[in-house]
Structures are given as structure tokens and as C-alpha cells.
Amino acid sequence: MDQYQDGTRLDSWLFRIVKNSWIDETRSRQRRGRVFAPEEEGEHIAGTGAAAIEARRELQEVEIAMQTLPEDQRLAIALICVEGLSYTEASAILDVPIGTLSSRLTRGREALMAALGGRP
């Protein structure tokens, strides 16, 4: 709380801390290398259906595609599409105008669609 300034929104301040932690963790994972599944996950593969395996594969593809996006687009998609925040809430958290957020979201969605071969 040493850096918290009176008069600022506590939720925005806390979100920035969480956002920065998330960015740090994401960058750390990229540096350590990628392991798609822990070794023990292999024990349960035979028991899962084809649909579950396909869903897991698609999720991995989306995760990889998300990592290729610029940070501003990745954050816009994460807040709107993943977390389900409104444009107003997300623009306040990111401290950008709604039009800027909308542009980042559109460009990010287009880039994801292209990376995923046009799949929604």
C-alpha cells in the first residue's frame, strides 16, 4: 500500500497489480519453455472421450495464438471475451477510451481468427 494514492479507485489499483502479475507470469512461462501437459495427465487420456481431447487441443491452439498478440490486444480480449467485463469497465481498468479498446479488440479478434485458420 506504499504506492497507493488517496483519491484513486482501489479496484483499478488492485486490478493493475493483478494485471502486472499476470503479465509477469505469462512472460515467465514463455521463458521456461512450454510443457503441454504434466506427465500424470497421460494416465487419464485413455479415459477421456474424443470430444474432450479435441477441446483440450483447441484450447492449447487458442492459448498459443493469444500469446502471439500484442499485449494491448491480448488484455482487451482477456477482459472482454474471457472475463466478461463491459466495454466501460474494461476501458476504465486499462485507462483508455472506449474507442481505443474497441479498436484493440477488433484487431485482436481478427488476428486470432487468422492464427486459428478462420475458426470462430
Side-chain angles (χ1 to χ4, degrees), residues 31-65:
R31 280 191 234 87
R32 283 185 294 213
R34 196 125 199 8
V35 175
F36 290 120
E39 184 177 344
E40 55 272 4
E41 284 287 319
E43 298 171 8
H44 307 292
I45 286 208
T48 61
I53 293 170
E54 180 64 18
R56 188 174 292 148
R57 185 189 62 78
E58 288 178 1
L59 182 61
Q60 289 173 343
E61 288 178 5
V62 171
E63 186 178 333
I64 291 167

Side-chain angles (χ1 to χ4, degrees), residues 43-98:
E43 298 171 8
H44 307 292
I45 286 208
T48 61
I53 293 170
E54 180 64 18
R56 188 174 292 148
R57 185 189 62 78
E58 288 178 1
L59 182 61
Q60 289 173 343
E61 288 178 5
V62 171
E63 186 178 333
I64 291 167
M66 283 284 287
Q67 291 175 2
T68 65
L69 295 176
E71 185 177 321
D72 59 345
Q73 293 174 12
R74 186 172 47 241
L75 287 172
I77 289 174
L79 291 174
I80 300 292
C81 299
V82 177
E83 297 296 328
L85 296 179
S86 70
Y87 280 47
T88 304
E89 292 169 324
S91 68
I93 289 169
L94 296 174
D95 197 28
V96 296
I98 290 179

